[in-house]
Amino acid sequence: MEQSAETAKMQQASDSREEKPVVRISVRRMVVFILRSGDLDNRSQRGSDLEAALAGSRLHRKLQKAAKGDYEAEVVLLEDVEYDDVIIRIEGRADGIIDRHTDRPIIEEIKGMYIDLALLEEPFPLHLAQARCYAAMLAEEEELSEVGIRMTYADLDSEEIRHFDSSYNKEELRTWFLEVVTSYHRFVSWQLAHIRARNRSMQDLNFPFPYREGQRKLTAAVYRSIEAGEELFLMAPTGVGKTMSCVFPAVRAMGQGFGERIFYLTAKNETLSVGEEAFSILDRKGLDFRTVRITSKEKICPRTEVNCNPESCPYARGHFDRINDAVLDLLTSKTHYDSGTLLRQAEERNVCPFELTLDVSSWCDAILCDYNYVFDPDARLQRFFGQGVKSEAIFLADEVHNLVDRGREMYSAVLVKEHVLSMKRVLAPGKEQKPEGDAKKAVLAAERLNKILLTLKHETEEAPTGITMETPYRIWEYNELDRLFASAQSLYEALQRYFQNSRDTAKKDRLTDAFFEIRSFCNTIDYVDENYRVYTELTEEGFGVRLFCANPAARLTSCIDRGRAAVFFSATLLPIQYYKKTLSTREELKAVYAPSPFDRSHRLLLAAGDVSTRYAARSTELYRRIASYIAKTAQAKTGNYLVFFPSYKMLRDVFRVYRDEFDTDAVNWVVQSSGMQEDDREIFLENFYEEPEKSLVGFCVMGGVFSEGIDLTGTRLIGAVVVGAGLPQVSNEREILKHFFDQENCGFDYAYRYPGMNKVEQAAGRVIRTAEDRGVILLLDSRLAEPSYRRLYPAEWSDCEVCYLENVSEHLEAFWGHPEGESSS
């Protein structure tokens, strides 16, 4: 359920004794929240209301223009309902009023849907309730004794129309309307009391720790950017305390009315725990703040299979009958809502834990979640970021170096020929089962689309733009694919209608993935502009058309613009201009950098001058040299080490040589495997304990789960060996990205060098997490010692020394302060 964009004003007014606060809510939002009932059923939600509304806007206007007589379209209605503690302002816009200036006007509510109207026996309850609210408000405003309602349903495919007419007297409308508003009031009353308590708790709230070097500068910059409604880039190495430097000023800014809600965003679940801890620290200092952590549906669902419908899940049966009481009970009994708390409440109240999470989030001060819930068009929280919704949200995006590639992924889409064919086969499995009705229309649309894709496949094979890893691709101009786009849209509309009307749940389940693929593709078409490249490619998986978002800045900015301010922060944001260009379209962007507070004498940084990991140089001899570096590092001092490789293949190749030629009883090892589950990752990290009796070497992949977001302090980790320059693997996408930015003379940098160097810095950053830590960082690639890479070093890396295999032990011995082989105890 969505709260209004006027919450900030409500916060300020809630402390006023002279006037009551005013809370604004739209008719639709109030009705959906209070009057929803029955089952949770994902089978009826695959063609979203938003998509139908967008597709039907033209038909909507057409019906309004065709109305005759005394008809008024798009009538704004507003009513204030006053309570002891608040005025609730209900606002809405009726689609039309028939017989507008008579003593019995008729509210018309128009709904465009992909549905067979012959199957519709009565109006959908929430649609009718919305119209009843308009009727009640009109009757009160104009002192009418009776108001009619006409529910007009339009089939978006055939443009067939069906009406449902009803009539109500003022008294019954009034009684019903006030019951709905009063049900909403109990939530508003709780929220107002909480905001007063929260704001009081902020008055004497101080920074919870003594300020570290550079930290006061960061907090001031964050506060000023939120106050001014700006974007801020903040780079602070480990140890500065960047998380609290962002969270604390954001909380204080909210207390001063500069923002209504904080979104703490990350790319990985591990980093969310850091944000949770920051809010918990402030909570222990007296802050009264409601926080919720959103866990994905797949992870929080207690069922073995995620299938949200009443036939498969007991939590889905009657979910909406119980959810509001479950939400209010949780709000009034707890202040922090993690997955465990939410799951227990869901099981006790027999509601869906994921939907409970989303509804609780509407009433929280801070929401901790993945980037997807704000930026991804298919996953963003519609209650906060739906069409036309503007809020006073404060975005704190942690580890934001990940957002560039995540943004490209979220705003790109692909249509695979083989998936279109499989979709057709599901709907028309054989000659004996000929499809009819909506299924037949979808099959015909799929056949037309497949023919176009087949032609594009031949043209890609015959005249590719380029070939990488034996995979040909071809770049197209947007207007060259007009027929493809129109055909894809036709199939999408046919599938929406099929999903809306078909009762064959087995077939719909088999079609779900393909439906979402074509939905994403069609929704992305409208956004293709100069920031996109459209290309076709042949891969082992099949032939696909890809709408590739090379620069996600514009679409990310459109999301940020729905809030008040954003702080992008990370330990690695160099070069800053790269991140500014790919994360934002604003011209004047502020950036602040904090130097590392750690004593450099606690850290040894070496770059090998005799290792080349370029593809052409890879050989057994290279793997032996790398293994020798690892062995010398682990033997120089007993302790725990992580070694990061650019790929699993190189990891396996080097590990094989290390195990065969350098393995000793004095050194243990563990190896990361692809596809590690959460339990496996925890077991892997448990090997890194304090003060080990033997050295331990962990073989890992750069850019993986162990190269960022983990915190092995003290003697749990005393060294990192980073193999390679971190360059992404050559692929069609990376080459297209390179050509895209070549127009600005930075193609290789943007596609390969900068993302690679970020991986290197992140992996190296696992060492030295606190002021007491000591450790070594060894960079094994001669390119990293070259000027083109040195200019990308953070300031604290200026003391990096070049080493070679024959003298690396001398450097290590000098740092650790004891001869090789001597006990390190």
Side-chain angles (χ1 to χ4, degrees):
M1 175 267 174
E2 304 159 70
Q3 288 178 288
S4 76
E6 296 295 311
T7 307
K9 294 179 182 178
M10 179 179 78
Q11 292 171 5
Q12 295 170 358
S14 65
D15 285 326
S16 171
R17 299 179 181 179
E18 298 178 359
E19 58 179 323
K20 293 180 181 179
V22 176
V23 175
R24 297 170 59 184
I25 182 72
S26 73
V27 167
R28 182 181 180 278
R29 295 172 189 171
M30 180 179 70
V31 163
V32 169
F33 179 56
I34 296 301
L35 297 180
R36 54 190 176 166
S37 62
D39 302 329
L40 176 66
D41 196 341
N42 62 350
R43 298 171 301 184
S44 62
Q45 295 168 353
R46 286 167 181 156
S48 77
D49 291 341
L50 174 60
E51 290 150 8
L54 293 174
S57 60
R58 186 161 57 94
L59 180 58
H60 194 112
R61 293 191 297 271
K62 180 179 177 181
L63 292 175
Q64 290 174 324
K65 289 180 180 179
K68 298 178 181 179
D70 187 10
Y71 185 92
E72 184 177 349
E74 303 298 331
V75 180
V76 174
L77 295 167
L78 180 149
E79 182 173 335
D80 286 348
V81 180
E82 186 169 356
Y83 293 87
D84 291 340
D85 56 344
V86 66
I87 296 171
I88 298 179
R89 179 165 295 162
I90 301 98
E91 304 168 315
R93 187 189 300 269
D95 292 331
I97 300 181
I98 305 167
D99 297 335
R100 177 69 175 93
H101 300 97
T102 67
D103 57 1
R104 188 188 174 279
I106 301 171
I107 295 287
E108 182 178 38
E109 188 66 17
I110 303 171
K111 299 295 181 184
M113 304 178 70
Y114 290 105
I115 189 171
D116 185 348
L117 296 182
L119 302 176
L120 193 60
E121 298 178 355
E122 60 184 6
F124 287 94
L126 292 181
H127 295 166
L128 180 59
Q130 189 174 342
R132 289 180 71 184
C133 283
Y134 294 142
M137 294 162 72
L138 182 66
E140 181 70 11
E141 179 181 330
E142 301 189 1
E143 298 182 354
L144 301 167
S145 59
E146 187 176 354
V147 178
I149 290 177
R150 167 165 290 182
M151 296 300 304
T152 298
Y153 286 93
D155 184 331
L156 293 176
D157 191 16
S158 66
E159 297 195 2
E160 177 188 353
I161 304 298
R162 186 169 182 185
H163 301 297
F164 293 93
D165 293 330
S166 55
S167 185
Y168 300 88
N169 63 53
K170 179 180 179 180
E171 288 72 24
E172 62 180 324
L173 283 172
R174 195 75 200 150
T175 300
W176 174 85
F177 179 71
L178 290 178
E179 286 177 355
V180 174
V181 180
T182 299
S183 295
Y184 177 65
H185 169 253
R186 63 178 181 151
F187 285 87
V188 173
S189 185
W190 170 85
Q191 179 77 330
L192 287 168
H194 164 62
I195 289 174
R196 286 191 290 268
R198 184 196 71 193
N199 289 353
R200 285 194 299 270
S201 76
M202 293 176 176
Q203 290 174 3
D204 299 320
L205 185 68
N206 295 314
F207 197 77
F209 308 111
Y211 280 106
R212 299 174 183 173
E213 181 183 352
Q215 199 168 27
R216 189 185 295 273
K217 172 186 171 184
L218 297 184
T219 58
V222 171
Y223 184 90
R224 286 195 298 267
S225 70
I226 294 172
E227 181 183 26
E230 298 173 339
E231 293 178 17
L232 176 71
F233 285 79
L234 186 153
M235 178 175 165
T238 300
V240 172
K242 60 182 178 295
T243 303
M244 187 60 77
S245 298
C246 292
V247 169
F248 175 76
V251 168
R252 291 304 304 264
M254 276 183 61
Q256 296 300 313
F258 303 124
E260 64 183 8
R261 183 178 289 107
I262 296 170
F263 284 87
Y264 186 93
L265 311 171
T266 72
K268 298 182 179 180
N269 280 331
E270 293 82 359
T271 320
L272 283 179
S273 300
V274 178
E276 276 186 313
E277 177 59 21
F279 284 107
S280 295
I281 290 170
L282 294 178
D283 177 69
R284 293 194 290 271
K285 295 293 183 178
L287 177 65
D288 187 350
F289 225 61
R290 297 295 191 274
T291 62
V292 61
R293 175 172 174 169
I294 298 181
T295 304
S296 69
K297 181 184 294 187
E298 289 72 21
K299 288 188 175 181
I300 201 172
C301 180
R303 309 282 292 172
T304 54
E305 182 179 352
V306 179
N307 205 348
C308 304
N309 67 73
E311 294 180 7
S312 305
C313 178
Y315 298 99
R317 284 193 292 273
H319 165 87
F320 290 116
D321 299 329
R322 301 180 294 271
I323 185 61
N324 283 0
D325 287 336
V327 169
L328 192 58
D329 175 55
L330 195 57
L331 292 175
T332 54
S333 60
K334 305 284 185 182
T335 59
H336 304 294
Y337 316 109
D338 57 16
S339 59
T341 300
L342 290 159
L343 186 55
R344 286 190 294 272
Q345 178 75 351
E347 291 176 335
E348 181 179 327
R349 292 287 187 149
N350 196 29
V351 295
C352 170
F354 183 70
E355 293 296 325
L356 174 65
T357 304
L358 298 184
D359 280 331
V360 166
S361 73
S362 293
W363 305 94
C364 283
D365 306 299
I367 298 171
L368 298 91
C369 59
D370 186 272
Y371 294 146
N372 285 352
Y373 294 104
V374 171
F375 298 113
D376 192 325
D378 293 327
R380 71 167 58 113
L381 301 173
Q382 292 297 324
R383 64 193 64 212
F384 302 117
F385 310 112
Q387 191 76 11
V389 177
K390 179 76 169 74
S391 72
E392 283 286 298
I394 298 169
F395 302 111
L396 304 180
D398 195 1
E399 304 292 355
V400 77
H401 57 273
N402 290 300
L403 188 53
V404 180
D405 280 340
R406 282 288 296 276
R408 289 183 180 125
E409 178 186 340
M410 289 185 285
Y411 301 131
S412 299
V414 66
L415 180 62
V416 179
K417 178 182 180 297
E418 285 69 19
H419 297 170
V420 174
L421 276 177
S422 65
M423 189 187 310
K424 174 195 166 186
R425 294 188 186 109
V426 170
L427 292 167
K431 294 181 179 180
E432 301 79 15
Q433 301 180 42
K434 292 185 177 180
E436 298 179 351
D438 295 330
K440 183 178 181 180
K441 291 179 181 179
V443 167
L444 293 174
E447 289 176 345
R448 289 192 294 269
L449 179 57
N450 183 62
K451 288 180 181 178
I452 296 172
L453 289 168
L454 184 60
T455 300
L456 293 176
K457 179 181 178 182
H458 293 327
E459 293 180 6
T460 301
E461 292 172 325
E462 294 167 2
T465 303
I467 299 176
T468 61
M469 306 296 287
E470 300 182 355
T471 302
Y473 68 92
R474 178 167 174 171
I475 298 175
W476 301 81
E477 294 296 328
Y478 180 86
N479 57 11
E480 292 181 286
L481 299 180
D482 284 345
R483 285 182 61 242
L484 170 77
F485 295 150
S487 182
Q489 188 65 42
S490 295
L491 175 57
Y492 175 41
E493 291 173 2
L495 285 171
Q496 285 189 87
R497 186 180 178 88
Y498 174 79
F499 270 100
Q500 189 72 47
N501 295 325
S502 174
R503 297 179 181 177
D504 191 336
T505 56
K507 279 188 177 180
K508 289 198 290 186
D509 286 342
R510 292 173 62 194
L511 288 169
T512 297
D513 290 342
F515 174 83
F516 284 137
E517 179 179 300
I518 196 165
R519 183 182 76 168
S520 177
F521 188 83
C522 290
N523 287 346
T524 304
I525 290 171
D526 291 337
Y527 291 96
V528 174
D529 58 12
E530 69 276 5
N531 295 305
Y532 278 77
R533 288 293 180 266
V534 181
Y535 68 95
T536 51
E537 65 177 343
L538 287 93
T539 68
E540 293 181 357
E541 297 180 3
F543 174 75
V545 182
R546 185 160 174 79
L547 310 177
F548 175 48
C549 183
N551 187 355
R555 296 200 64 182
L556 290 169
T557 300
S558 70
C559 296
I560 293 298
D561 285 345
R562 294 182 181 182
R564 177 186 181 87
V567 180
F568 300 122
F569 61 106
S570 172
T572 55
L573 282 180
L574 292 175
I576 192 64
Q577 197 57 39
Y578 165 70
Y579 292 100
K580 286 183 176 181
K581 185 171 181 61
T582 52
L583 294 177
S584 179
T585 58
R586 297 185 182 180
E587 293 184 2
E588 295 185 7
L589 290 167
K590 295 179 180 178
V592 60
Y593 174 82
S596 173
F598 297 147
D599 188 340
R600 291 190 189 184
S601 67
H602 286 196
R603 186 260 298 136
L604 174 65
L605 177 62
L606 300 173
D610 56 356
V611 174
S612 172
T613 64
R614 288 181 172 89
Y615 191 77
R618 296 183 183 181
S619 63
T620 301
E621 182 55 37
L622 170 66
Y623 304 148
R624 183 174 292 111
R625 179 173 291 272
I626 294 171
S628 182
Y629 265 110
I630 296 169
K632 288 176 181 290
T633 302
Q635 291 166 11
K637 180 174 176 61
T638 300
N640 299 322
Y641 301 84
L642 284 173
V643 185
F644 297 97
F645 293 89
S647 67
Y648 278 107
K649 184 180 185 309
M650 181 174 271
L651 182 157
R652 290 191 293 268
D653 289 338
V654 173
F655 174 70
R656 192 177 299 112
V657 174
Y658 177 87
R659 183 192 57 197
D660 293 345
E661 301 183 23
F662 297 93
D663 193 19
T664 72
D665 292 338
V667 180
N668 294 325
W669 42 259
V670 288
V671 181
Q672 177 184 356
S673 60
S674 60
M676 266 188 166
Q677 299 300 311
E678 193 167 338
D679 290 345
D680 299 325
R681 297 198 294 268
E682 290 179 2
I683 292 172
F684 182 94
L685 291 175
E686 285 174 0
N687 290 287
F688 293 79
Y689 49 82
E690 294 274 1
E691 303 293 345
E693 295 181 0
K694 295 182 179 182
S695 282
L696 173 71
V697 178
F699 290 78
C700 306
V701 172
M702 208 185 314
V705 293
F706 301 120
S707 65
E708 59 180 281
I710 63 168
D711 221 13
L712 300 174
T713 59
T715 58
R716 292 191 67 193
L717 186 69
I718 65 168
V721 179
V722 183
V723 181
L727 303 185
Q729 184 176 359
V730 174
S731 66
N732 290 346
E733 184 176 292
R734 283 288 149 182
E735 286 300 288
I736 290 168
L737 199 59
K738 177 179 177 296
H739 294 313
F740 177 87
F741 285 107
D742 271 342
Q743 58 194 344
E744 299 180 37
N745 299 316
C746 54
F748 180 80
D749 286 343
Y750 274 45
Y752 293 101
R753 195 194 311 274
Y754 296 164
M757 192 60 194
N758 190 282
K759 289 182 181 180
V760 170
E761 292 178 25
Q762 281 291 325
R766 297 315 94 205
V767 183
I768 312 296
R769 308 297 293 178
T770 72
E772 292 74 34
D773 293 354
R774 298 189 76 222
V776 300
I777 299 169
L778 184 56
L779 309 178
L780 294 188
D781 195 301
S782 57
R783 286 172 290 186
L784 297 175
E786 297 172 358
S788 59
Y789 280 89
R790 278 186 174 270
R791 65 183 175 85
L792 304 178
Y793 283 9
E796 54 270 19
W797 280 23
S798 61
D799 60 342
C800 180
E801 300 179 61
V802 177
C803 72
Y804 299 90
L805 186 59
E806 57 266 23
N807 67 7
V808 67
S809 294
E810 296 175 13
H811 285 280
L812 293 168
E813 290 166 13
F815 175 74
W816 291 121
H818 63 84
E820 185 174 353
E822 183 177 312
S823 172
S824 60
S825 60

